[in-house]
Amino acid sequence: MTTIRLPRTVIALLCTTLQVCLGTVYAWSFFQTILVRQSGWSFTQTAWAFSITIFSLGVAAAWAGQALPRYGPRRLALIGSCLFAGGYLIAGWALHLDSIPLFYLGYGVIGGAGIGLGYVTPVATVAKWFPDHKGLVTGIVVMGFGVGAFLLSKGLAPLLVLQAGQDLSLVFVWLGVIFGGVLIPCSLFLSDPPESEQPAAARTVRPLAAASQPESVWPYLQSWPFVILWIVFFFNIAAGISVISFQSELLQEVWGLSDPSLEPAVLAEYGATLIAVSSLCNGVGRLFWGLLSDRIGRVAVFRILLASQMVVFGILMTETNPWIFSALVCYVLLCFGGGFATIPSFILDVFGPKKMSAIYGTILTAWAAAGIAGPVYVGYLKDVYPDRAVLYCFLIGVMMLGAGYVFSYLLNDSRMRLGRPTLEGTLREYGIPQTAS
């Protein structure tokens, strides 16, 4: 069977398209209020759907990072695309049956696993095609994940809601069909670059011969540098994702207090606009902070992200002006995306390129844990303390960011070695085949 070889710019476009579609998960708060009103589910119950999605995403991404070298990008991306689209179809059926356990299974477990398999694949693949512009091109690809919520919240979702007459079950089914129709063809054309077509910069990091045995990454995953990096990453995500999961509802609450005469439909439109604009900030932040980390260092960027957000969350606790509130939320999303942009380069710096996919996938379990911690506590606050939920949400966020900032002083972005460096070990680390002497 002849394999179609596409130009690397087309591969980058396909990878970005995959990330844009998968990133629509961050538009969850667009559906949150509608689900609560239509189905009668509580905020806590609906928050669990988003939390299960992010948890499944992180766990699946950890496995995908280990499996990518063995199965290749096409197979993992194709499986992830089918699961993601299938999750929406099952979720639509669950809404038709008014079954929240089935909704958790479809949108949360199956759909989330699809995102996890799909998320790791484009990032790792495009880095192999562009070793000469690795930071820039991975920043563009992960930016697509941040921008996905904009396209869904301000374009596709409102159109489908209008066409379906507010019937969310039909909306979710149509989303499954559309995403399947886009993602599956894109996945079929993904591949690693053939060695003969790799740029000269890539030839020093090509894989070892098939007979070589890969070095275990387990000792690195048990090391303090990995643990500290995981903790700092977790706190940055947990604070940001707590805002993402309820940003529409939180803004509607602030607008309602500022102008009680506003109709629910108008408030919902304001909330959708915030999702769209903040998602753009999420995407831009992935590019901006990634490029800045190349200049001032990864540790410095993490400290700026955490410290500045502590100040912003403190202001958000008592801010009643909806315009200022929205601007500050957008900054939080800018920093949220920055954490994801900095992590791949951080891992490359500390652990080396040969262990990149396995360690990168494993570090995303911090995303899984944060996906449970962040949205669930905000949902609980909305149900139990509806009049003080905003205050408590951001107070807890300040404490999480403060903890992450303290741990950031234990970070070090110098190369980690488990033993004394040797010529053989260096060759193995960079995937350079060793010739017999």
Side-chain angles (χ1 to χ4, degrees):
M1 178 179 177
T2 304
T3 302
I4 299 176
R5 297 297 184 188
L6 299 176
R8 64 176 186 165
T9 52
V10 176
I11 295 293
L13 179 61
L14 294 175
C15 290
T16 304
T17 302
L18 285 170
Q19 292 286 62
V20 168
C21 292
L22 299 175
T24 56
V25 67
Y26 282 151
W28 165 253
S29 61
F30 176 89
F31 301 111
Q32 176 102 2
T33 305
I34 304 176
L35 278 172
V36 171
R37 290 173 182 170
Q38 288 189 4
S39 65
W41 300 344
S42 69
F43 283 105
T44 303
Q45 287 175 314
T46 51
W48 268 109
F50 184 68
S51 289
I52 293 171
T53 302
I54 302 300
F55 179 81
S56 301
L57 184 166
V59 173
W63 179 84
Q66 304 280 348
L68 183 58
R70 184 166 67 253
Y71 293 106
R74 181 183 294 112
R75 186 179 300 179
L76 281 187
L78 184 59
I79 295 172
S81 298
C82 292
L83 290 176
F84 181 66
Y88 267 103
L89 295 176
I90 296 172
W93 184 34
L95 290 173
H96 178 71
L97 300 176
D98 194 26
S99 171
I100 196 167
L102 185 60
F103 189 83
Y104 288 162
L105 174 64
Y107 186 85
V109 177
I110 296 175
I115 300 172
L117 295 181
Y119 182 85
V120 173
T121 304
V123 177
T125 301
V126 79
K128 296 175 183 177
W129 280 94
F130 291 84
D132 44 347
H133 300 289
K134 190 177 299 182
L136 175 63
V137 76
T138 54
I140 292 173
V141 169
V142 297
M143 182 176 68
F145 195 87
V147 172
F150 171 83
L151 298 177
L152 184 62
S153 63
K154 292 302 289 183
L156 189 56
L159 177 63
L160 291 177
V161 168
L162 181 64
Q163 293 296 320
Q166 301 286 324
D167 186 349
L168 278 189
S169 62
L170 284 178
V171 171
F172 274 69
V173 168
W174 273 111
L175 286 173
V177 172
I178 292 170
F179 286 140
V182 174
L183 289 170
I184 292 174
C186 288
S187 301
L188 290 173
F189 289 100
L190 286 192
S191 65
D192 286 330
E195 186 173 328
S196 60
E197 296 180 19
Q198 290 186 39
R203 294 169 190 167
T204 59
V205 293
R206 61 185 178 269
L208 286 170
S212 300
Q213 294 299 317
E215 182 183 358
S216 172
V217 299
W218 182 243
Y220 294 88
L221 301 181
Q222 293 177 298
S223 66
W224 274 113
F226 177 84
V227 172
I228 298 300
L229 183 59
W230 191 100
I231 291 172
V232 171
F233 192 40
F234 165 81
F235 281 123
N236 188 67
I237 298 173
I241 208 166
S242 66
V243 176
I244 289 174
S245 63
F246 278 89
Q247 59 179 316
S248 176
E249 185 67 26
L250 293 174
L251 179 64
Q252 290 181 52
E253 185 176 323
V254 173
W255 266 111
L257 294 174
S258 176
D259 186 356
S261 65
L262 291 175
E263 296 293 330
V266 176
L267 293 175
E269 179 64 23
Y270 288 166
T273 300
L274 177 60
I275 296 172
V277 176
S278 66
S279 70
L280 292 178
C281 293
N282 184 2
V284 171
R286 293 169 187 248
L287 186 59
F288 169 75
W289 292 108
L291 293 175
L292 184 62
S293 72
D294 288 336
R295 292 186 173 272
I296 68 174
R298 324 301 178 192
V299 175
V301 163
F302 265 117
R303 288 176 186 165
I304 294 172
L305 293 176
L306 295 162
S308 61
Q309 284 184 97
M310 287 175 64
V311 176
V312 169
F313 270 60
I315 299 172
L316 283 169
M317 287 171 58
T318 56
E319 184 56 59
T320 57
N321 184 308
W323 295 103
I324 297 177
F325 184 92
S326 299
L328 294 176
V329 167
C330 287
Y331 181 77
V332 171
L333 270 291
L334 192 81
C335 294
F336 179 83
F340 281 95
T342 307
I343 278 291
S345 300
F346 207 126
I347 292 172
L348 281 170
D349 291 345
V350 176
F351 301 101
K354 189 167 184 289
K355 296 171 281 293
M356 165 64 181
S357 63
I359 294 177
Y360 179 57
T362 306
I363 204 75
L364 293 180
T365 57
W367 196 3
I372 294 292
V376 169
Y377 86 75
V378 180
Y380 173 80
L381 293 174
K382 287 287 296 179
D383 287 332
V384 180
Y385 306 104
D387 56 334
R388 289 170 286 174
V390 174
L391 174 65
Y392 290 164
C393 169
F394 293 116
L395 176 60
I396 296 173
V398 169
M399 292 188 291
M400 289 191 295
L401 291 165
Y405 183 74
V406 171
F407 275 101
S408 73
Y409 279 89
L410 300 176
L411 280 180
N412 190 318
D413 55 6
S414 60
R415 176 59 56 84
M416 176 191 171
R417 299 185 188 276
L418 294 179
R420 296 179 60 185
T422 62
L423 176 60
E424 180 183 356
T426 302
L427 291 173
R428 185 171 60 250
E429 178 180 347
Y430 282 93
I432 302 174
Q434 302 168 55
T435 59
S437 56

